[in-house]
Amino acid sequence: MGAKSRGCSGWLIFIVVASLIVAVIVYAVKKKQEHRDALPVPGPPGALDHKYADALGVALQFFQVQKSGKLVDNKIPWRGDSALDDGKEARLDLSKGMYDAGDHMKFGFPMAYTATILSWAILEYGDQMSAAKQLDPALDALKWITDYLINAHPSDNVLYVQVGDPDVDHKCWERPETMTEKRPLTQVNKTAPGTDVAAETAAAMAAASLVFKTTDSKYSDLLLQHAEKLFDFADSYRGIYSHSILKVQTYYNSTGYGDELLWAASWLYHATGDQTYLNYVTEKNGHSFADWGRPTWFSWDDKRAGTQVLLSRVQFFGSTEFSSGEKKGLQSYRDTAEAVMCGLLPDSPTASSRTDGGLVWIDEWDALQHPVAASFLAVLYSDYMLTSRTPEIQCSGTAFTPSDLRSFAASQADYILGDNPMELSYLVGYGDSYPEQVHHRGASIPADADTGCKGFEWLSSTDPNPNVATGALVGGPFKNDSYIDLRNNSMQGEPSTYNSAILVGLLSGLVTTSSVSTSLS
């Protein structure tokens, strides 16, 4: 009797446990299925988010502030013509282009990167920019730089990569309109190679050729011709440009050129459809230069993360007619891009460091550079997933959706626009409170002042800048989320055109919802 009772009890326990297991499995399958159900793909641009639209309009004005040369339809009342003789010693017109930051140098490496990023932003989010009535200013800024880059490449194996002497330039505090110092030209060539800067310039021209392809085919073709020749020059005569030009090491020292070669070849693949470029970045040079499996931060010096996201686009939307080696390489780029994304998501097991206020934290010098660049890549990757109906990525066993990536990017943009412990907008001209002593020469000196080289009284002044450098994205906070608004504080207070380009891309991706095109060509 007792044995029968124990048997019934055992069967009852078994049934209960089995039922619980089935319930858990059903629940897990249901939750997994919920994760796998991709969000619907949005169509044309939807309703504008006016916060981001307004900020985008402000950010684009900084490119007007930074213009060199004979200004056309000048919208900045305190700016005027400047550097009209740049390039004359080589019988070139290098008067256009843009000043790098708060100084008056034209550094070709970050300027070309600025053009590449502006092109990428326009190609992916031109419809969104247009909906916010900001596409024309973006195109104007891009062409002002590419006009300069074309003139800076007078022959196949010569590229002018710098106008001005940085040592002389940084001993002056003056308006660009009144400069009288000599502005020497610096080039890379066969005997003084600069693979990194030449490849970045090739990337800029290839990307821009796609931007202008339907509106100005002649200009687009010219850009592509320069891009292909520059890539051949960069690849044939290899060398780090800052080894050839020692003075630039203090300002824009390059840590290598493999990333730029991959970046340029990736853009040339998109611009030409030539499979040779895809083979270059996958089978031929992927193992040497891509650092597959090791996530990095995207910047003017390191293009690996940007290349991984750009080539993920090919893996998301490209043809299936790839060789097995090309397919394997593209998958490696995408896997690494997803590792980059996992490092950005705050709830990911591999999340990167953040300030208490929520800003991704990498470096105290120009602290906003990496969060903005990472957020731009996150928006892009989110939209690639959404458009391809890819429901999730896996981060060490935890699933995240396109919405998670977009939320991360929005959190960083919101921090920049004032949702931070300082309640300060780091975008000058946006919001009620923003830095008033931006480290920027032209903004710090009254438009009617002719100081000569020695206008340092304006650098040391504690008054607000007499001119507002509208659209400037300053360097950003310290790790404790604090900011010291002093003109001499260049670590936190100096803006740059390349950071502005990245911010334009980020804001354009957030300004409204829309699917991305499955092809950039």
Side-chain angles (χ1 to χ4, degrees), residues 93-422:
D93 180 5
L94 299 181
S95 60
K96 280 189 175 182
M98 293 187 185
Y99 300 119
D100 168 63
D103 54 22
H104 302 141
M105 288 296 299
K106 294 177 187 175
F107 288 112
F109 197 26
M111 193 194 305
Y113 172 73
T114 299
T116 313
I117 297 302
L118 277 175
S119 296
W120 199 2
I122 293 167
L123 288 167
E124 301 282 14
Y125 297 122
D127 287 348
Q128 289 89 321
M129 289 180 177
S130 184
K133 296 182 171 56
Q134 298 301 329
L135 179 57
D136 287 344
L139 290 169
D140 174 80
L142 173 61
K143 192 171 185 297
W144 202 266
I145 298 176
T146 54
D147 283 353
Y148 168 89
L149 295 178
I150 288 170
N151 290 349
H153 182 222
S155 60
D156 289 358
N157 299 320
V158 172
L159 176 67
Y160 285 90
V161 298
Q162 185 174 295
V163 181
D165 182 325
D167 293 342
V168 172
D169 184 84
H170 285 76
K171 289 176 182 177
C172 290
W173 194 268
E174 62 189 334
R175 300 175 63 243
E177 292 80 1
T178 61
M179 285 189 298
T180 59
E181 297 76 42
K182 288 184 178 180
R183 292 174 61 77
L185 307 178
T186 307
Q187 64 173 246
V188 293
N189 50 47
K190 288 195 255 186
T191 57
T195 297
D196 32 26
V197 65
E200 180 59 66
T201 308
M205 290 180 163
S209 76
L210 287 166
V211 171
F212 295 107
K213 188 173 183 178
T214 58
T215 58
D216 191 341
S217 59
K218 185 177 179 181
Y219 189 69
S220 172
D221 289 344
L222 178 62
L223 286 166
L224 188 54
Q225 290 169 23
H226 279 280
E228 291 175 316
K229 290 176 180 177
L230 275 167
F231 181 77
D232 288 342
F233 166 51
D235 197 29
S236 299
Y237 300 94
R238 293 188 179 183
I240 296 174
Y241 94 116
S242 49
H243 290 177
S244 298
I245 307 167
L246 299 182
K247 277 190 177 182
V248 83
Q249 292 180 6
T250 305
Y251 305 96
Y252 289 102
N253 186 51
S254 174
T255 56
Y257 56 70
D259 55 320
E260 277 83 23
L261 286 172
L262 297 178
W263 176 241
S266 300
W267 278 111
L268 279 162
Y269 173 69
H270 281 289
T272 65
D274 186 341
Q275 203 83 359
T276 304
Y277 291 116
L278 184 65
N279 186 267
Y280 184 98
V281 300
T282 52
E283 295 189 82
K284 189 175 179 181
N285 291 291
H287 286 287
S288 301
F289 297 144
D291 281 338
W292 289 325
R294 190 168 75 86
T296 54
W297 295 98
F298 188 37
S299 72
W300 59 265
D301 179 44
D302 192 341
K303 315 300 167 16
R304 284 173 292 179
T307 302
Q308 289 148 15
V309 170
L310 182 61
L311 289 175
S312 292
R313 167 181 255 288
V314 179
Q315 218 271 350
F316 274 117
F317 306 122
S319 165
T320 56
E321 297 176 3
F322 299 136
S323 71
S324 60
E326 289 166 348
K327 288 180 180 178
K328 184 178 180 180
L330 287 172
Q331 186 62 52
S332 296
Y333 279 108
R334 181 168 165 180
D335 289 344
T336 312
E338 292 197 359
V340 171
M341 297 302 118
C342 289
L344 305 179
L345 294 159
D347 294 329
S348 165
T350 57
S352 54
S353 175
R354 281 159 172 75
T355 69
D356 290 343
L359 181 72
V360 167
W361 184 259
I362 304 302
D363 191 5
E364 66 178 1
W365 191 282
D366 193 10
L368 291 177
Q369 175 186 186
H370 291 107
V372 177
S375 298
F376 175 51
L377 296 184
V379 167
L380 287 170
Y381 206 85
S382 169
D383 286 340
Y384 295 167
M385 291 177 66
L386 200 61
T387 302
S388 65
R389 299 189 63 77
T390 302
E392 64 187 27
I393 59 173
Q394 290 286 329
C395 301
S396 301
T398 304
F400 295 93
T401 67
S403 293
D404 294 324
L405 284 171
R406 189 177 181 89
S407 294
F408 157 74
S411 74
Q412 302 301 287
D414 292 346
Y415 184 105
I416 290 164
L417 298 179
D419 186 10
N420 57 63
M422 294 287 291

